[in-house]
Amino acid sequence: MLDMSARFAFDEDHALFRDSVRKMLERELLPNLDRFEEEGIVSRQFWLACGEAGMLCPNVSPDYGGLGLDFGYNAVIDEELAYAGSSAGVPLQNDITAEYVQSYGSEEQKRRYLPKMVSGECISAIAMTEPATGSDLQAIRTTARRVGDRYVINGAKTYVTNGQNADVVIVAAKTDPGLGARGLSLILVDADTPGFARGRNLDKIGLWSADTSELFFNDVEVPVANRLGEEGRGFAYLMSQLPQERLSIATSAQAAAQRAFDEALAFVKDRTAFGQPIFEFQNTKFTLADMKSQLQVGWAHLDWAIRRHIAGALTTAEASAAKQWHSDMQGRITDMALQLHGGAGYMNEYLIARLWRDARVTRIFGGTNEIMKEVVSRSL
């Protein structure tokens, strides 16, 4: 269980909210977690339960059904989901897609989508990555050709979180392919639009219960009114939302690393070798001490970053550094925790195996950690 006694990013209201989130996850998530992993998708019933519990888009304005809270509440949800060992795509909706709609959407778009995103009736995704492009968003090939008062979208996207469940997708497409980054726009596409098709639910190393999909757009026609914000401003919008997206990843990584440590500590105190608990061996104690030190530093840094973001001061470089450091640390901690489990750590029946599998992708998504270093270096 996450110990909040030494945290300085949260107040008493955050603590009460955390308690309600934990109780909800104990009731609605934990009994179903193995099933979600086996089925490769989180049920829509769980999304509705999250909505009922106030766990979806808490920082959306009350004008559109939200609670109007600060990002600290999003962080609480991110931490508790990650600590529980869940890969549900809730943080994507809370921290990323809702922000795009709230920040750049028209009044009609906000009223159409946000209340249902808050309730869990509408699940969202954002489609950026393509089969031939990774972190280089300027190389996107999907096009949205304007014909009168409509856009005709053609292209393919991949690695789309919530892709199977999504009711609406924010699509990054070139409205003017000749302008490079300045020709990129963001367009809302409803899943029932003719020409839109989902590919397979991708078979991943980890994050098994997160539905991750290929999406295809074959002459998909949508009204120009479905565009988010101004035409050609998509790349700028994507860049402006990076601090929160990367802080979200750092937050989840830190909490998952803490859970890996807690699992390892409990295991070595319970398991014996050569007539004594594994915990009593010096190597075990030193390994745990190293892990504990890294986690202590991580929590202090995370709280600094959360408070800085709430104050509107967290820069893209700072958020990129946080994403890189916390996800790297998560990889180290989960690997060390699995090693302390010995052969049991390689068995899927132990939670550490899932935590280890799930940790690997955090150094890749949201921009690879190599790109994070590039971003930080540009700020020097």
Side-chain angles (χ1 to χ4, degrees):
M1 187 68 70
L2 285 169
D3 178 13
M4 295 296 107
S5 60
R7 303 292 298 276
F8 61 86
F10 305 110
D11 59 25
E12 185 177 347
D13 289 335
H14 291 110
L16 291 171
F17 183 71
R18 185 182 298 275
D19 184 60
S20 70
V21 170
R22 284 182 178 174
K23 289 177 180 177
M24 181 275 180
L25 295 179
E26 289 172 0
R27 183 177 66 252
E28 301 290 345
L29 175 68
L30 298 185
N32 297 305
L33 192 49
D34 289 341
R35 176 170 63 87
F36 294 160
E37 289 279 295
E38 291 170 7
E39 295 177 353
I41 195 167
V42 172
S43 72
R44 296 189 72 92
Q45 288 73 22
F46 176 71
W47 280 89
L48 292 171
C50 286
E52 182 68 25
M55 284 176 56
L56 292 179
C57 316
N59 56 346
V60 163
S61 167
D63 292 339
Y64 310 109
L67 300 173
L69 302 173
D70 62 54
F71 178 78
Y73 292 86
N74 295 47
V76 165
I77 297 166
D78 295 347
E79 289 176 3
E80 294 298 327
L81 278 168
Y83 190 83
S86 170
S87 57
V90 169
L92 174 80
Q93 180 141 314
N94 289 355
D95 305 341
I96 302 173
T97 55
E99 281 298 305
Y100 282 103
V101 177
Q102 181 161 243
S103 298
Y104 311 117
S106 65
E107 187 64 21
E108 190 278 330
Q109 289 169 344
K110 292 176 184 178
R111 295 199 178 279
R112 179 179 179 184
Y113 292 108
L114 289 177
K116 290 186 177 181
M117 290 173 70
V118 169
S119 69
E121 296 171 85
C122 178
I123 300 173
S124 59
I126 185 165
M128 294 184 284
T129 303
E130 298 182 356
T133 65
S135 298
D136 185 9
L137 297 178
Q138 298 184 60
I140 283 173
R141 297 180 180 178
T142 298
T143 60
R145 182 171 53 92
R146 185 163 181 170
V147 181
D149 63 351
R150 305 183 74 78
Y151 285 117
V152 180
I153 304 173
N154 282 282
K157 300 289 185 178
T158 193
Y159 310 147
V160 180
T161 301
N162 292 344
Q164 295 292 314
N165 261 334
D167 301 294
V168 63
V169 181
I170 300 172
V171 181
K174 288 286 182 67
T175 43
D176 190 335
L179 291 179
R182 290 178 296 160
L184 191 69
S185 300
L186 302 181
I187 301 171
L188 292 161
V189 176
D190 295 315
D192 59 0
T193 306
F196 171 82
R198 309 177 203 266
R200 58 197 173 97
N201 193 357
L202 298 173
D203 184 12
K204 306 184 297 296
I205 291 174
L207 302 184
W208 290 352
S209 57
D211 54 309
T212 307
S213 309
E214 301 167 315
L215 301 179
F216 302 99
F217 305 84
N218 183 22
D219 289 335
V220 174
E221 292 191 28
V222 298
V224 169
N226 277 32
R227 188 186 65 232
L228 274 176
E230 299 176 35
E231 186 170 283
R233 294 280 295 163
F235 190 77
Y237 297 154
L238 292 169
M239 294 303 101
S240 69
Q241 295 299 324
L242 285 177
Q244 182 156 301
E245 176 181 353
R246 290 172 179 170
L247 178 57
S248 173
I249 295 169
T251 302
S252 296
Q254 177 71 29
Q258 182 69 55
R259 182 60 185 270
F261 171 83
D262 292 349
E263 290 295 306
L265 180 61
F267 183 88
V268 299
K269 286 189 172 183
D270 181 64
R271 192 62 61 96
T272 60
F274 303 103
Q276 62 179 334
I278 298 173
F279 177 75
E280 296 301 329
F281 292 98
Q282 186 182 66
N283 178 72
T284 304
K285 290 181 178 179
F286 281 13
T287 300
L288 289 166
D290 184 18
M291 296 162 72
K292 181 70 172 179
S293 298
Q294 292 185 55
L295 288 165
Q296 178 178 313
V297 172
W299 284 118
H301 176 262
L302 184 65
D303 281 355
W304 169 85
I306 290 171
R307 290 186 64 174
R308 190 161 169 79
H309 181 56
I310 291 172
L314 188 70
T315 68
T316 297
E318 290 168 346
S320 298
K323 188 269 184 186
Q324 180 253 310
W325 191 90
H326 286 272
S327 60
D328 278 347
M329 184 271 289
Q330 179 192 14
R332 294 192 300 270
I333 295 294
T334 53
D335 194 70
M336 295 162 77
L338 188 148
Q339 187 71 16
L340 288 175
H341 278 73
Y346 208 64
M347 301 297 109
N348 281 327
E349 65 187 273
Y350 287 86
L351 176 59
I352 189 58
R354 180 189 305 162
L355 294 168
W356 180 77
R357 289 195 311 269
D358 291 354
R360 187 59 187 88
V361 76
T362 59
R363 284 172 274 170
I364 297 173
F365 63 22
T368 65
N369 281 7
E370 291 74 21
I371 295 295
M372 298 304 98
K373 294 174 184 177
E374 180 68 22
V375 172
V376 173
S377 72
R378 291 174 183 172
S379 71
L380 301 179

